[in-house]
Amino acid sequence: MIEIGAHVDLSHPSDRVWLALTDRELLGRWFAEADMVEGVPDRLLLHTADLPGFDADVEVEVTERRVPELLALRCDEAGRLTELTCAVTATSQGSRLVVREVPTHGGWSDEQRDAREQQVRQAFTVRLPAILDWLAFQQVDLRRGEAGLTTELPVISAPGPARRRRRTVVVGLAGVLVAAGTVAWLTLPGDPDQVAGPAPSSTPSTPLPSLVEAAATTAPPKATTSPRPSRSVTPTGVRPTRTPSAKPSPTPTPTGPPPPPPLVARYDTDSSRLFGYTGEVVVDNPGPAPVEQWTVVVTLAEGSSVDDVDGADWSRDGQALTFTGAAVPAGGSRTIRFDVRDSRPKAREPESCTVGGNPCEGF
């Protein structure tokens, strides 16, 4: 039996994740459009026929739901029957979504399953987090009170702490998304004014002009005349002796093997999304010996923060992130991945990246 499943950790509360899964309008933004089946209660039609890995639209029927923890669905895709479950669990960082789809009649070919898994990966690691970020942004209270600017999230449709994105994705969910879409039918269509509307944009600040420092010129001092020395008379017949000068001894040139080539690093942005992105730095050692100590410094744009880091130990000083870790083997590499959250709708990439003081490739 071929089973498709996935789990993803999200820095959003369970209520907000549930809303994104079950609201038909939101579902159409990150997965597939959905319509209620007229005259049939608890049924929904997902328009998945044009998505990779799907042969036709999927008709889903809710068999069990516990808000905001569990949604169980029975799915029918042109005669292929599956059972899909979506479980949402609260965590200290937000919530975890686990999706599992098991065929009960018919199955997928290897090619179709691979395409569905890739479609699910895109939906759950990029589009769903973006919608959750957008929902959180719509709920930010930017009113100024006596305490100044606040960013607390009021309870609207999906209350909860601010989010992040440590995405541990074990994806293989094809039908998963189908389920997620299915979930949409569960919730009656919400007030469009509650979820729609463009996120406010902020005007980038204009850099201050650089200051030019004028160089002060100093007049050369006047030359002073020194008294002419008197000439001494040497007695005739007495020749002055010459004092031999010592020749400097040559400085020996140090000998030894040439220093190993420095480490090189390249930076890349992966999974860019609304209000954040995932950065990746690959450190390569082209030398013949392992490098025990190394340092990578990444300077984030103003207003950015780090949610999670994999592949290295790290510390932060202002906007500068310093990464260190295990030795880089000869001819080998180390990969560092870090999730960044940005306060602006369009996330800004890091300002710089260096390894051992040398700039990384990719900037």
Side-chain angles (χ1 to χ4, degrees):
M1 177 183 295
I2 299 178
E3 178 181 313
I4 292 179
H7 77 263
V8 55
D9 290 318
L10 301 163
S11 291
H12 287 275
S14 301
D15 288 348
R16 187 176 298 143
V17 176
W18 181 269
L19 180 63
L21 292 174
T22 58
D23 185 273
R24 285 191 295 138
E25 183 176 351
L26 292 176
L27 188 63
R29 296 191 178 196
W30 70 270
F31 178 51
E33 294 184 357
D35 293 324
M36 299 296 295
V37 177
E38 187 175 356
V40 182
D42 293 339
R43 287 198 182 181
L44 192 73
L45 182 65
L46 297 178
H47 298 285
T48 56
D50 295 331
L51 296 180
F54 291 84
D55 295 330
D57 293 342
V58 177
E59 184 175 325
V60 298
E61 179 182 4
V62 177
T63 57
E64 182 181 2
R65 66 175 176 181
R66 296 198 302 267
V67 182
E69 300 174 353
L70 177 67
L71 179 68
L73 308 167
R74 183 181 296 114
C75 307
D76 184 349
E77 181 189 354
R80 180 189 294 114
L81 305 181
T82 61
E83 292 181 353
L84 178 69
T85 57
C86 300
V88 183
T89 307
T91 65
S92 59
Q93 304 259 336
S95 59
R96 168 173 290 186
L97 172 63
V98 178
V99 186
R100 180 171 177 263
E101 185 177 22
V102 179
T104 57
H105 179 74
W108 305 287
S109 65
D110 291 341
E111 182 179 356
Q112 185 183 33
R113 183 175 184 272
D114 291 343
R116 289 171 75 108
E117 285 183 343
Q118 188 170 5
Q119 175 70 15
V120 169
R121 180 184 295 273
Q122 287 293 323
F124 275 85
T125 65
V126 179
R127 294 193 291 272
L128 176 58
I131 284 295
L132 293 173
D133 284 343
W134 178 81
L135 281 174
F137 186 79
Q138 296 299 304
Q139 298 169 357
V140 172
D141 183 3
L142 296 180
R143 294 170 297 177
R144 287 185 179 274
E146 294 181 358
L149 191 64
T150 175
T151 57
E152 57 183 66
L153 299 179
V155 177
I156 299 182
S157 296
R163 72 132 234 136
R164 149 15 269 169
R165 164 165 320 80
R166 178 166 208 251
R167 281 169 289 110
T168 310
V169 179
V170 180
V171 178
L173 189 167
V176 166
L177 271 191
V178 173
T182 302
V183 177
W185 86 266
L186 273 183
T187 301
L188 291 179
D191 186 355
D193 294 335
Q194 193 174 8
V195 293
S201 61
S202 54
T203 306
S205 58
T206 305
L208 296 175
S210 59
L211 301 178
V212 180
E213 199 175 291
T217 57
T218 306
K222 290 185 178 181
T224 58
T225 57
S226 59
R228 180 177 297 176
S230 58
R231 181 178 299 175
S232 60
V233 179
T234 303
T236 307
V238 179
R239 180 175 296 176
T241 60
R242 179 180 297 175
T243 303
S245 59
K247 291 184 178 180
S249 59
T251 303
T253 303
T255 60
L263 297 177
V264 294
R266 58 186 182 276
Y267 171 83
D268 186 29
T269 297
D270 183 28
S271 299
S272 292
R273 55 187 174 273
L274 191 66
F275 298 111
Y277 60 89
T278 299
E280 180 180 273
V281 178
V282 179
V283 182
D284 294 315
N285 179 13
V291 175
E292 299 292 337
Q293 296 182 347
W294 53 272
T295 301
V296 170
V297 179
V298 176
T299 303
L300 301 178
E302 195 68 29
S304 301
S305 61
V306 174
D307 284 342
D308 188 47
V309 174
D310 287 327
D313 299 325
W314 68 287
S315 61
R316 177 173 180 175
D317 183 8
Q319 295 304 111
L321 305 177
T322 301
F323 301 100
T324 59
V328 184
S333 64
R334 296 287 181 194
T335 300
I336 308 168
R337 292 177 64 87
F338 51 95
D339 288 337
V340 177
R341 181 177 179 82
D342 198 294
S343 59
R344 298 187 180 185
K346 184 176 181 180
R348 296 153 295 174
E349 294 186 350
E351 295 180 351
S352 64
C353 171
T354 61
V355 53
N358 299 318
C360 304
E361 298 177 5
F363 273 86

